[in-house]
């Protein structure tokens, strides 16, 4: 079935209310912390109060003797019994040598390398006893100087023996000689130094794990707040604990948000699984919010110098970028590919820039590991490109929209100079619709109204592109990926015609149980209520790569479509037999099988029943049953794109930035459930505005302490901080997956930060302000205005 | 949270007795309980004042409002008496924390805690309130003594606060972006005894601003304070605002508060 026919089916494009919300809204959700096993014990971790220190001695004697304590484990107990946490992507230096990949121990053994680094594990009968005992563990530290500022990391003390100058890798992409040559002939060069601020993920459900070992079956059952349970199992069994994979079941039940931070294999998950076997029980740990702040993988944290070379008309000739990327203290699971594969390849943006060269230096610092966070590399790239383009426009005396329109890619497929090939898109259409919805025509009048109130109004553009559904596996493998990037789907038709779908994608708030049910219901001509979606359980789902990089529908949904193709093909054979016709003469639509050119039909449910009660059935040529599995490995990324327009009003007396209007026009290809997509865009835009205006993870340079370790100092955005968003859509269906969808989960967080900052800078231009880093807090804006006045 | 015992006395006398024996008084718990959850506070016994009826309530006595120490922020915010007599106080209460905080937090708890960024201390100081305790009466000018320090003796409880009704008053809070406590809050009041201006959020505790008061005594207009500078060296600076920024904000918030009071 072609994409156009698929998109016209019933339930496709229908804002069906979410099937999962009933249990979420009535407190019936089952999160990891809700799971209680027989013989349930509880864990607490002893964490480092220092950013960098040698562990001289750990005394657990007092803690071990406390009430209810089963055992206290230290790094020494684990030494030699397991591997460290693996990094899932190998990045190579320009000379071909591999990145520095120092060990990432499950419990710190000789050294701690960031505040919150886990040093010991206490297992006790109650959470309170575990916590009390953890406080009684005596650790003798020799405190060393921290390494916080990555620009000076090479001069700091080495965090790892393997990386004496704290340098992890240098990565380059593009033709440097061609770029340099283009710069030499440019009519104008625009330069920009920018910081992409460190963010701390704040899923509503903190990380949690409940690991059980069952002696009778020699099996492990691990409940964990995770986005990809099969990957968690593979990494843990094959690379860390050397356990038989088939004896380990990982279940990610209801999960309350992830934003990337729950993709990774964390030390706590491994430590509890191992300890459960040692003690023969189930052990549960749920992070407290203050633990989440210091131990979840953080996001972003780049320092970049970018240059754009242009001809006299503002046509882009070449772009040159250097970025310092903070890895934190250890290499988290996908940390290394974020500022490289997911960043450098996106620097073309929506523009036909002929030559691009990017160089990235990655550094170890004594901070929490940095890894993928909603957008993962693509927000960083978009921020560089869209800030640079707006500044270039102003330097060239062009309007923000004009310079973009002059440089948009218009012919597809388009091969960028940074490896990607865009399959389809219509960037002018997104821009035009955004300008209409944002009432750009009325902007000058609004600016005058603001002016009369003593306020500064500005407008900012951002035309983003992202690459979703990371693929194909073989090309990713050639680029250093240590995992496949396909997805698996199984469609199980029951005898009565209802359906259970097993998907390797994982929903932690995205609404897959509804969207995927709509896809299956549309294809089979049944009601979505007849379709249940099972995910997040290695014991029930054949395999899965999980959910990240806005891949669920484009890759996971495509796998389900492939399985549905098989279901339909087999069902047609059964129907042909029942109606005594040839397979080739059977048509299927609206849930009815029909013999072409006749009025003979039978419903889907009758075929389903026949498959399981095969009395009148071609048993000699066809197996009974109607249950099909498919794996789908995409042939290319998908390329969602759009234009965002932000209008801000700034009070120069206080520096307060108020977002007055925000318009987002996105091209996500075919949309299954518009309400869910809108929700994803709203959340993404709010997260991006959080980064632009409020959020900032800050470590003290002298002490290495996290200064923003709670909501008292880490500024989370709230609904009341934003206006109602105006959304619009353009649809150019993805050309290479059967749904035609592109992915919508990260777009808002990718596209919005530069739109906001460009608007702030536009507003402050008349005060002499040229530059401003995120987050544009009131204090920072006010100080910037004061400095510009001087 | 560490284990603790819990008492809920029905009379002030019983509460005072328990406090004298070492128990920790629990009013609304919006600071204490959070500190206990973080294990930053570890009282062995909590004495919940929520069962003492005489501590809650709002009434007018002549030219004064009397508000019981255990009156919740939400009740002050919604009180017609307060809204009519001192609208600035009702509005202040309506903007403390979030809905959950306002449903539990109390006037007496906030004043006794004397958080340097709390709202109520600014109102008490600017309005020249009198704090009635189990032992005596203390003027606001004498009560607040710096970072979390007050004139209260151990086992001395605030029972009520008497608020003289001002001619005009207003409070403007500039929220710290993360906590939403006051980065700077300025309460201006035109009282029978002259103009009083109290600033919260800027230093180690709420303080009166003599220069602003002098300027406003001459002319109770925003323009009168437009050029009044605040010495930044007396103020705190942190991640959310330098001392210089806070000093500047005091001037801006003072102008806006006066503009609001004037109407």
């Amino acid at each position: 079935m072609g994409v156009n026919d698929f998109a016209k089916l019933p339930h496709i494009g229908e804002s069906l209310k979410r099937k999962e919300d009933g249990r979420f809204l009535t407190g019936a959700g089952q999160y990891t912390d809700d799971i209680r096993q027989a013989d349930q014990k509880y864990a607490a971790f002893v964490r480092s109060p220092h950013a960098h220190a040698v562990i001289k001695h750990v005394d657990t004697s007092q803690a071990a003797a406390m009430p209810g304590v089963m055992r206290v484990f230290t790094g020494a107990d684990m030494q030699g019994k397991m591997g460290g946490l693996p990094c899932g992507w190998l990045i190579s230096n320009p000379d071909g040598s591999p990145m520095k990949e120092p060990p990432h121990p499950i419990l710190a053994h000789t050294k701690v390398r960031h505040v919150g680094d886990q040093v010991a594990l206490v297992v006790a009968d109650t959470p309170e006893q575990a916590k009390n005992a953890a406080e009684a563990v005596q650790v003798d530290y020799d405190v060393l100087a921290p390494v916080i500022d990555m620009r000076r990391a090479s001069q700091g003390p080495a965090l790892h023996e393997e990386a004496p100058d704290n340098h992890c890798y240098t990565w380059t992409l593009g033709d440097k000689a061609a770029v340099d040559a283009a710069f030499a002939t440019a009519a104008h060069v625009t330069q920009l130094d920018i910081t992409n601020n460190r963010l701390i993920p704040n899923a509503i459900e903190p990380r949690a794990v409940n690991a059980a070992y069952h002696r009778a079956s020699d099996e492990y059952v691990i409940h964990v707040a995770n986005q990809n349970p099969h990957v968690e199992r593979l990494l843990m069994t094959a690379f860390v604990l050397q356990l038989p994979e088939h004896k380990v079941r990982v279940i990610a039940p209801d999960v309350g948000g992830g934003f990337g931070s729950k993709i990774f294999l964390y030390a706590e998950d491994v430590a509890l699984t191992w300890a459960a076997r040692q003690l023969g029980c189930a052990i549960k740990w749920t992070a407290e919010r203050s633990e989440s702040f210091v131990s979840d993988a953080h996001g972003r944290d780049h320092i970049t110098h970018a240059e754009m070379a242009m001809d006299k008309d503002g046509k882009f000739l070449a772009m040159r970028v250097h970025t310092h990327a903070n890895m934190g203290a250890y290499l988290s699971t996908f940390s290394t590919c974020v500022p490289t594969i997911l960043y450098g390849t996106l620097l073309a943006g929506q523009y036909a820039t002929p030559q691009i060269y990017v160089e990235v230096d990655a550094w170890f610092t004594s901070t929490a590991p940095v890894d993928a966070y909603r957008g993962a590399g693509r927000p960083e790239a978009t921020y560089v490109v869209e800030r640079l383009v707006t500044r270039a426009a102003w330097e060239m005396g062009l309007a923000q929209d004009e310079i973009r329109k002059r440089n948009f890619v218009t012919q597809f497929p388009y091969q960028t100079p940074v490896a990607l090939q865009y399959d389809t898109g219509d960037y002018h259409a997104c821009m035009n619709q955004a300008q209409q919805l944002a009432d750009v025509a009325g902007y000058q009048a609004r600016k005058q109204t603001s002016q009369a109130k003593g306020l500064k109004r500005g407008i900012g553009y951002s035309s983003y592109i992202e690459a979703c559904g990371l693929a194909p596996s073989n090309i990713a493998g050639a680029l250093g990926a240590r995992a496949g990037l396909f997805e698996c789907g199984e469609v199980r038709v029951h005898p009565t015609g209802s359906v259970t779908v097993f998907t390797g994608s994982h929903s932690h708030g995205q609404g897959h149980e509804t969207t995927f049910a709509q896809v299956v219901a549309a294809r089979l001509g049944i009601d979505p209520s007849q379709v249940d979606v099972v995910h997040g359980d290695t014991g029930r789902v054949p395999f899965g790569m999980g959910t990240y990089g806005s891949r669920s529908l484009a890759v996971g949904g495509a796998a389900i479509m492939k399985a549905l193709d098989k279901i339909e093909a087999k069902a047609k054979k059964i129907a042909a037999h029942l109606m005594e016709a040839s397979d080739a003469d059977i048509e299927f639509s609206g849930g009815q099988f029909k013999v072409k050119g006749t009025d003979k039909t039978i419903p889907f449910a009758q075929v389903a029943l026949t498959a399981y009660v095969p009395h009148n059935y071609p048993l000699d040529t066809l197996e009974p049953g109607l249950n099909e599995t498919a794996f789908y490995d995409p042939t290319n990324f998908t390329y969602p794109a759009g234009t965002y327009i932000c209008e801000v009003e700034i009070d120069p007396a206080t520096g307060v930035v108020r977002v007055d209007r925000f318009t987002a026009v996105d091209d996500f290809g075919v949309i299954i459930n518009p309400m869910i997509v809108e929700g994803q865009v709203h959340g993404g835009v709010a997260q991006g505005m959080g980064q632009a205006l409020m959020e900032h993870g800050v470590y003290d340079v002298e002490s290495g302490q996290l200064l923003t370790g709670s909501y008292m100092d880490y500024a989370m955005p709230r609904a009341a901080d934003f206006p109602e968003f105006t959304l619009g859509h353009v649809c150019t269906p993805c050309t290479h997956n059967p749904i035609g969808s592109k992915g919508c989960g990260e777009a808002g967080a990718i596209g919005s930060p530069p739109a906001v900052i460009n608007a702030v800078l536009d507003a402050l231009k008349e005060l002499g302000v040229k530059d401003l880093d995120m987050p544009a807090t009131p204090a920072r804006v006010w100080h910037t205005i004061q400095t510009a006045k001087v | 949270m560490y284990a603790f015992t819990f008492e809920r006395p029905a009379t002030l006398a019983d509460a005072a007795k328990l406090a004298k024996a070492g128990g920790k008084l629990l009013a609304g718990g919006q600071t204490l309980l959070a500190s206990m959850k973080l294990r930053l506070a570890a009282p062995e016994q909590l004495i919940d004042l929520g069962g003492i009826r005489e501590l809650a309530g709002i009434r007018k006595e002549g030219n004064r409002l009397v508000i019981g120490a255990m009156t919740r922020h939400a009740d002050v915010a919604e009180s017609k008496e307060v809204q009519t007599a001192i609208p600035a106080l009702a509005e202040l209460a309506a903007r403390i924390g979030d809905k959950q905080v306002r449903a539990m937090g109390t006037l007496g708890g906030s004043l006794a805690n004397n958080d340097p960024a709390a709202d109520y201390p600014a109102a008490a100081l600017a309005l020249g309130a009198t704090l009635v305790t189990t032992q005596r009466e203390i003027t606001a000018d004498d009560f607040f003594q710096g970072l979390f320090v007050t004139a209260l003796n151990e086992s001395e409880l605030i029972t009520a606060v008497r608020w003289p009704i001002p001619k005009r008053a207003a409070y403007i809070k500039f929220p710290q972006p993360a906590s939403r406590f006051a980065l700077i809050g300025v309460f201006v009041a035109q009282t029978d005894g002259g103009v009083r201006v109290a600033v919260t959020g800027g230093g180690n505790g709420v303080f009166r601003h003599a220069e602003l008061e002098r300027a406003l005594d001459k002319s109770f207009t925003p323009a009168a304070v437009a050029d009044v500078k605040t010495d930044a060296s007396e103020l705190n600076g942190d991640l959310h605002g330098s001392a210089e920024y806070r000093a500047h904000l005091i001037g801006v918030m003072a102008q806006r508060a006066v503009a609001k009071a004037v109407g």
Side-chain angles (χ1 to χ4, degrees):
Chain A
M1 175 178 281
V3 163
N4 289 331
D5 291 335
F6 170 74
K8 290 192 193 97
L9 292 175
H11 305 305
I12 302 303
E14 186 185 330
S15 286
L16 205 65
K17 291 237 169 80
R18 303 205 319 171
K19 291 164 71 115
E20 45 271 79
D21 283 347
R23 72 174 188 277
F24 291 155
L25 295 176
T26 58
Q30 283 289 296
Y31 296 86
T32 296
D33 193 62
D34 294 320
I35 311 290
R36 200 187 145 79
Q37 305 278 17
D39 203 15
Q40 184 72 65
K41 306 295 179 188
Y42 298 87
F45 286 89
V46 177
R47 296 184 182 278
S48 171
H50 304 296
H52 190 197
V54 171
I55 300 172
K56 286 163 71 182
H57 181 64
V58 184
D59 181 357
T60 61
S61 54
Q62 194 190 333
M66 288 175 68
V69 173
M70 287 186 83
R71 192 80 72 83
V72 183
F73 296 104
T74 67
D77 296 322
M78 295 182 173
Q79 203 55 20
K81 298 191 176 80
M82 65 188 75
L85 293 178
C87 179
W89 203 298
L90 171 72
I91 297 296
S92 298
N93 293 297
D95 66 3
S97 61
M99 65 187 186
K100 300 283 175 27
E101 201 172 352
H104 187 170
I106 304 306
L107 290 180
H109 183 37
T110 53
K111 237 184 164 190
V112 289
R113 296 179 176 88
H114 67 93
V115 169
D117 208 352
Q118 58 286 345
V119 176
L121 161 66
V122 179
V123 182
D125 290 339
T126 70
E128 194 194 13
Q129 288 169 335
K131 217 173 157 185
N132 290 344
E135 285 179 358
V137 172
Q138 305 286 323
V139 188
D140 192 6
Y141 293 104
D142 214 346
V143 179
L144 304 171
V147 181
I148 300 298
D149 181 353
M150 62 180 150
R151 287 165 300 187
R152 291 187 293 148
S154 65
Q155 291 124 56
L159 292 173
H160 302 275
E161 283 174 21
E162 295 79 0
D165 51 5
N166 293 315
H167 188 246
C168 181
Y169 60 75
T170 299
W171 178 84
T172 65
L173 181 65
D175 185 340
K176 184 170 192 303
V179 167
D180 291 348
F183 269 85
T185 65
H188 183 76
V189 172
T190 291
Q191 302 199 34
L192 189 60
D193 286 290
I194 55 174
T195 299
N196 202 293
N197 41 323
R198 176 181 280 246
L199 301 179
I200 302 178
N202 274 286
I204 196 164
E205 180 205 18
R207 283 196 293 123
V209 56
N210 190 350
Y213 174 72
H214 300 294
R215 204 158 56 86
S217 56
D218 188 30
E219 282 178 325
Y220 297 81
V221 177
I222 303 161
H223 287 83
V224 59
N226 186 277
Q227 300 176 211
N228 38 5
H230 283 89
V231 176
E232 166 109 353
R233 178 175 72 165
L234 178 62
L235 293 174
M236 193 189 297
T237 57
F239 297 100
V240 190
L241 291 177
Q242 311 294 336
L243 299 175
E245 192 176 359
H246 62 295
K247 288 292 198 184
V248 178
R249 179 177 177 190
V250 176
I251 302 168
D254 285 331
V255 174
F259 312 115
S261 73
K262 291 173 182 165
I263 296 172
F264 323 122
L265 176 62
Y266 282 96
E268 291 87 352
D269 310 359
V270 174
L272 260 65
T273 302
W274 180 79
R277 170 75 177 83
Q278 306 304 305
L279 302 175
C281 63
I283 309 172
K284 181 153 77 181
W285 167 79
T286 302
E288 297 190 354
R289 189 59 66 178
S290 43
E291 275 187 294
S292 301
F293 270 100
V294 295
S295 70
D296 287 2
H298 294 179
R300 319 280 192 256
D301 208 347
H302 284 193
I303 297 172
T304 295
H305 178 73
E307 302 164 274
M308 182 72 88
M310 285 162 283
D311 72 9
K312 62 178 178 31
D313 300 320
K315 285 282 277 184
F316 302 155
L317 303 174
M319 191 177 164
R320 196 158 52 193
V321 176
H322 181 274
T323 292
H324 292 292
N326 198 338
M327 296 283 101
Y330 304 100
L331 297 182
S332 174
T333 313
F334 290 110
S335 56
T336 50
C337 71
V338 174
T340 50
I341 308 295
L342 298 177
Y343 168 74
T345 57
L346 270 296
L347 288 170
Q350 297 188 359
Y351 313 109
T353 310
Q355 296 292 343
I356 297 171
Y357 176 73
V358 54
E359 192 172 305
V360 179
D361 281 296
W363 301 95
F364 292 108
T365 61
S366 38
T367 63
V370 179
D371 207 326
Y373 174 69
R374 202 172 195 170
R378 291 153 291 167
E380 295 91 321
T382 301
Y383 190 64
V384 169
V385 174
E386 292 304 296
R387 284 284 315 277
L388 192 60
V389 165
T390 283
R391 174 176 281 201
W394 290 337
E395 289 183 1
M396 298 293 287
L398 295 172
Q400 291 183 70
D401 57 329
E402 179 59 26
I403 197 166
R404 286 173 169 82
K405 289 173 184 169
R406 284 187 191 181
N407 287 284
F408 276 158
V409 170
T410 54
Q411 301 294 316
F412 297 92
Y414 173 73
Q415 177 62 51
T416 74
V418 278
L420 300 180
Q421 191 185 79
Y422 302 163
D423 62 336
T424 182
D426 189 343
Y427 307 146
H428 282 282
C430 290
M431 170 65 82
N432 293 340
Q433 192 184 135
Q435 289 190 300
Q436 277 175 16
L437 290 175
D439 184 25
V440 169
Y443 171 71
Q444 281 308 329
R446 291 191 293 276
K447 189 169 174 70
Q448 279 165 16
T449 307
S450 299
Q451 200 79 32
K453 290 186 286 183
L455 303 173
K456 305 291 176 193
R457 181 174 286 264
I459 189 165
Y461 283 71
S462 165
S463 296
Y464 78 93
I465 190 163
E466 57 165 326
C468 299
L470 190 55
S473 291
N474 53 353
I475 292 180
L479 291 170
R482 289 164 168 166
L485 295 160
F486 55 85
E487 196 47 272
C488 171
E490 178 184 343
V491 175
R492 183 176 301 168
V493 179
H494 301 293
T496 54
S498 62
V499 177
T500 303
V501 177
F502 301 85
T503 173
S505 296
H506 184 273
S507 177
H508 30 283
Q510 295 90 339
H512 294 172
E513 290 169 43
T514 306
T515 302
F516 287 6
Q518 286 177 254
V519 169
V520 174
R523 284 287 305 270
L524 299 181
I526 59 179
D527 192 83
S529 66
Q530 295 300 299
V531 184
D532 242 19
V533 176
V534 171
H535 64 91
D537 184 348
T538 65
R540 298 181 73 191
V541 177
F543 200 81
M545 294 308 298
T547 287
Y548 49 85
S550 305
R551 70 195 297 274
S552 289
L553 186 61
V555 188
I560 292 169
M561 288 284 275
K562 273 187 74 178
L564 286 165
D565 290 343
K566 295 185 190 179
I567 291 281
E568 193 176 315
K570 183 170 180 182
K572 277 182 176 170
K573 287 183 183 165
I574 300 171
H577 178 86
L578 289 175
M579 293 188 283
E580 296 174 334
S582 148
D583 300 357
D585 289 337
I586 303 296
E587 288 172 337
F588 180 57
S589 75
Q592 298 288 327
F593 294 92
K594 186 177 181 214
V595 182
K596 223 181 276 177
T598 75
D599 56 0
K600 271 166 95 177
T601 63
I602 53 170
F604 177 73
Q606 190 183 337
V607 170
L609 187 66
T610 306
Y612 290 95
V613 189
H615 296 165
N616 177 14
Y617 198 90
L619 286 168
D620 49 341
T621 55
L622 203 61
E623 292 173 10
L626 200 50
N627 191 108
E628 298 289 348
T629 302
F631 286 72
Y632 173 77
D633 201 283
T635 54
N636 192 359
F637 291 92
T638 65
Y639 297 99
T643 286
Y644 291 0
I645 299 176
C646 177
E647 243 176 87
V648 300
E649 196 175 54
I650 298 175
D651 179 354
T654 59
V656 169
V657 177
R658 188 178 68 82
V659 177
D660 185 48
R661 304 162 77 95
F662 195 92
T663 305
V665 174
D666 297 286
D667 178 358
F668 296 136
V670 174
I671 289 172
I672 306 297
N673 185 317
M675 177 196 72
I676 287 179
V677 169
E678 270 189 31
Q680 288 290 320
V681 175
H682 281 204
V685 168
Q687 227 156 342
M689 285 189 185
Q691 166 163 36
L693 297 172
M694 307 171 75
E695 296 182 53
H696 196 189
V698 182
Y699 283 91
D700 183 69
V701 176
E702 301 297 321
S703 68
Q705 294 295 321
L706 180 62
L707 298 177
T708 52
S710 80
Y711 295 134
M712 294 299 282
D713 290 300
Y714 189 84
M716 289 295 286
R718 303 179 190 182
D721 296 327
F722 305 127
E724 185 74 29
F725 305 141
T726 304
L727 306 190
H729 293 286
V730 165
C731 178
T732 64
C734 171
T735 59
H736 54 81
N737 72 46
I739 295 178
S741 71
K742 302 183 179 182
C744 68
E746 298 162 295
I750 291 169
S752 60
V756 175
I757 297 298
N758 284 336
V760 170
L761 289 170
D762 184 48
L764 299 179
K765 261 193 310 191
E766 63 195 58
L767 297 176
V769 171
K770 287 203 167 64
D771 208 357
L772 178 73
D773 274 326
M774 300 189 289
T777 62
R780 183 173 276 176
V781 170
W782 182 78
H783 276 287
T784 303
I785 293 171
Q786 306 316 305
T787 316
K789 278 180 184 165
V790 175
Chain B
M1 200 176 264
Y2 296 103
F4 58 90
T5 59
F6 184 80
E7 296 289 342
R8 192 178 165 89
T11 67
L12 255 183
D14 285 349
K17 200 185 295 171
L18 287 161
K20 197 160 192 181
K24 178 83 179 164
L25 295 167
L26 174 69
Q30 296 308 293
T31 300
L32 179 58
L33 296 183
S35 306
M36 288 170 67
K37 284 182 188 170
L38 289 166
R39 295 192 158 196
L40 297 172
E44 287 176 13
Q45 183 180 65
L46 285 187
I47 308 157
D48 180 6
L49 301 175
I52 306 171
R53 287 203 183 158
E54 63 195 272
L55 286 181
I58 298 166
R59 63 182 190 276
K60 200 164 168 215
E61 282 181 4
N63 195 30
R64 293 182 300 195
L65 271 183
V66 181
I67 304 180
M70 281 298 288
T71 309
R72 315 279 171 181
H73 306 329
D75 294 329
V76 174
E78 284 155 22
S79 158
K80 290 278 172 286
E81 297 250 77
V82 182
Q83 285 171 2
T84 308
I86 318 179
L89 187 60
E91 283 177 27
L92 174 147
R95 290 184 174 82
I96 298 174
D98 55 25
K99 205 175 177 103
Q100 289 80 1
V101 167
R102 292 192 292 274
M104 289 302 292
T106 65
L107 169 63
S110 173
L111 294 174
N113 189 48
N114 192 19
D115 187 298
D119 299 310
Y120 266 137
L125 194 57
L127 292 168
T130 298
L131 290 82
V132 183
T133 80
T134 46
Q135 297 172 9
R136 56 191 162 140
E137 295 189 356
I138 311 172
T139 64
D141 283 310
D142 294 331
F143 183 81
F144 302 107
Q145 301 185 350
L147 197 65
F148 297 106
V149 179
T150 69
L152 288 172
N153 299 317
E154 284 202 32
S155 81
E156 181 178 15
L157 278 74
I158 303 171
T159 58
V161 180
R162 284 207 299 265
W163 307 86
I165 295 169
K167 293 176 192 153
R168 292 184 289 196
Y171 177 64
I172 301 276
K173 168 162 65 175
F174 187 89
Q176 192 255 51
S179 69
R180 320 267 167 142
F181 271 79
L183 189 71
I184 285 295
V186 176
F187 201 116
V188 299
Q190 203 175 25
T191 72
D192 293 337
V195 173
R196 293 170 65 100
V197 179
V199 178
T200 186
N204 281 336
V206 65
F207 61 88
R208 283 178 64 182
H209 200 298
E211 292 84 354
L212 287 173
E213 291 182 355
R214 266 197 299 277
L216 290 170
D217 264 329
K218 283 185 199 143
S219 162
F220 196 73
T221 59
V225 289
D227 294 325
V228 176
K229 300 277 181 251
T230 301
D231 182 2
S233 67
E234 301 285 317
L235 302 176
N236 290 336
D238 61 19
L239 209 56
H240 306 288
S242 63
E244 184 195 358
Y245 179 57
R246 281 179 159 91
H248 167 76
L249 280 182
I250 289 172
V252 178
M253 295 306 122
Q255 289 177 63
R256 291 180 184 180
V258 173
K260 191 172 177 194
V262 172

